[in-house]
Each structure stands twice: as C-alpha cells, then as structure tokens.
Amino acid sequence: MYRFLLSRQWVILTLIALLLIPTMIRLGIWQMHRYEERTARNQLVSDALAAEPVPVESLTSPGHTVTTHERYRTVTAKGHFDTGDEVVVRRRTNSDDEVGYHVLTPFVLDDGKVLLVNRGWIPADAPSQTTFPKVPAPPRGELTVEGRLMPDETTASSGIKDLKGLPDRQIMLINSAQEARRLGAEVLGGYIAQTAPEPKGGSPELLGDPGKEDAALNFAYAIQWWLFSAAVPVGWAVLARREARERARAASRGKPAEAEPAAV
C-alpha cells in the first residue's frame, strides 16, 4: 500500500523533510544562544546601573580600554570643564530620533588628567553643518560630575565612519586616544555620559539610560523553530496516510491513483 513512497515525487518530498528537520533544529539552537547572550548583556547593564558610584580613576586611566564589565558603571569626578577645547559629535539622535550633536567637553581633574564628558544632545539648529552650533555652557568652577562610563567609539564597534576634513571642532567618534593627541594631554580611556548635575534649562539633553535587548523574543523564536521541526515529520506522515487512503479507494473503484502527493 505504501510502495508509492518510492516514487520520484515522494523521494524528493522525503529528502526535503529530512533536510528541514535538522535545519530548523539548528536555527532554534542559534536563537537560544542569542537569547542567552542578550540575557547576559541585560544582566551586565542592570548590575552596572545598580552599582554604587565610584571615582572614575578607580576604573580607568590614560590608555585604558573600558571593558564590558566596566561599561555603564556610574563614576564620579572632581574638577572643572574646559570649554575652550569643547567639540561636538556629528549625526547623533535624541530620544525622538531627531538628528543633532552630542556635546563633548574635556573635564580637567584635580591631578591634571582629562576626562571626556558627553554632556548630552543638542539640535542641529546652526545655519549650516559647517557652522559650530550654539552650545549651552556648563557650570563654571570646581564641581563634581557623575556619569556612566563608556568605551571609546571606533568604526568597527559603532559602524560610524570616521570622516576626515570635518569643520573645525566637529568630530564623528568619541575616542580618547584621538582626543589625547588633539589636546596634548593625558586623557582617561573611554568617556562618561553625564547624568549629574542636570543642565539648566534641560539643554544639553542628557542621554537616557541604556535600553535592554528583547531577549524574550529570541526565546520565542527558538521554541517556534523547534515546533516547526516537530511538525515536519507529522505533516509528512499525514500526507503519506492520506495518499495511501486515496490510492486504496481508487484501487477499489478500479481507477489509477494520482501520481503526485496529496496536498495538505
């Protein structure tokens, strides 16, 4: 009754089913790995944001590469802003996806080292992109700033091209090594996204907390792929039984059975 399984059409259908099953299983495993990676990253972010603030120089120093476990840690620094060497970072968006600039201001520590402080976002309201935008001034004098420690930006890590020939005091990437050469000073590795003190008038607009990745979606995709892999042999068996029944009915009526597999 099942000799039709040796026909060309059914051999092809069976081979496709045998290929789909391991492929779907592997896709489910890949999605589960993505779920575990995203869950781990989310936990790192949560732990970093929940940790008590520490002095910035306890986590970074000139030439230091900020690690995954140091990223987003809240740090404090005492010193003063140097607006004379302030620059803006081009093509940055705010929480409403409006394109503008990030304001990067050197913060001179009491020991003379420099900490790069991203003071937040301002709109691109200058007459042209070659004109330096109007930047709200930071507090004057000695103060303590607080912010989230961030690693240096590179083209590889951010996907942003480090364009050359930009207008004066405009940059594409926040990179402590590049800024150290520009300033001729000892610059701590990485930079901080300022969280305190809050700017007067709400400008520059402070950067929001880092968002969490949707790890649950990857978990759902993994389960979905595994359910699909289980459905393939079930569907194959249903089709085969339906084909066998139709061939049996056709034989009882003396009619030839259809050569193609029955549709679902």
Side-chain angles (χ1 to χ4, degrees):
M1 185 170 60
Y2 286 94
R3 291 181 61 186
F4 65 87
L5 294 177
L6 299 177
S7 67
R8 180 175 178 271
Q9 293 85 354
W10 272 96
V11 168
I12 292 174
L13 182 65
T14 302
L15 289 175
I16 292 173
L18 292 175
L19 285 173
L20 284 175
I21 293 171
T23 300
M24 291 178 176
I25 290 174
R26 288 182 65 85
L27 286 171
I29 293 172
W30 177 74
Q31 287 290 352
M32 188 57 69
H33 286 162
R34 290 282 294 159
Y35 163 75
E36 292 169 352
E37 290 170 359
R38 286 186 164 187
T39 300
R41 284 198 292 266
N42 287 342
Q43 188 60 51
L44 283 174
V45 172
S46 297
D47 292 345
L49 295 179
E52 290 295 320
V54 296
V56 66
E57 289 188 273
S58 67
L59 291 181
T60 185
S61 58
H64 175 75
T65 299
V66 176
T67 66
T68 301
H69 291 275
E70 294 164 345
R71 185 178 187 179
Y72 300 126
R73 284 290 304 273
T74 300
V75 295
T76 60
K78 186 177 180 181
H80 65 275
F81 282 110
D82 175 16
T83 56
D85 286 314
E86 188 171 65
V87 295
V88 292
V89 191
R90 293 166 61 96
R91 300 180 185 176
R92 299 303 168 109
T93 58
N94 65 356
S95 57
D96 296 322
D97 287 332
E98 297 173 314
V99 179
Y101 303 95
H102 282 176
V103 179
L104 187 68
T105 310
F107 188 79
V108 183
L109 306 179
D110 291 341
D111 61 6
K113 296 185 180 70
V114 174
L115 169 67
L116 300 176
V117 178
N118 185 339
R119 296 201 290 123
W121 181 89
I122 59 171
D125 55 3
S128 69
Q129 290 190 355
T130 60
T131 304
F132 191 77
K134 185 178 180 180
V135 179
R140 294 183 178 180
E142 195 85 359
L143 75 152
T144 298
V145 296
E146 187 173 289
R148 295 186 298 273
L149 185 61
M150 302 295 293
D152 288 322
E153 295 178 345
T154 64
T155 297
S157 64
S158 66
I160 300 172
K161 292 183 178 180
D162 192 11
L163 302 177
K164 306 300 180 184
L166 296 177
D168 188 38
R169 299 175 65 192
Q170 296 190 29
I171 61 175
M172 296 299 300
L173 297 168
I174 304 177
N175 186 282
S176 61
Q178 292 180 3
E179 291 303 294
R181 289 191 294 270
R182 181 179 71 88
L183 298 171
E186 287 189 289
V187 178
L188 303 186
Y191 67 98
I192 69 167
Q194 184 178 335
T195 56
E198 294 190 8
K200 292 182 180 180
S203 183
E205 179 184 320
L206 295 181
L207 307 184
D209 288 341
K212 291 190 174 182
E213 300 182 51
D214 192 358
L217 190 61
N218 293 102
F219 184 84
Y221 285 154
I223 299 301
Q224 186 180 61
W225 280 119
W226 289 335
L227 288 175
F228 286 162
S229 69
V232 169
V234 173
W236 182 92
V238 169
L239 288 176
R241 292 188 63 182
R242 181 179 297 176
E243 177 79 3
R245 287 197 301 269
E246 290 181 357
R247 286 175 175 270
R249 285 197 295 268
S252 65
R253 295 194 300 268
K255 297 179 180 180
E258 295 181 359
E260 297 292 335
V264 178

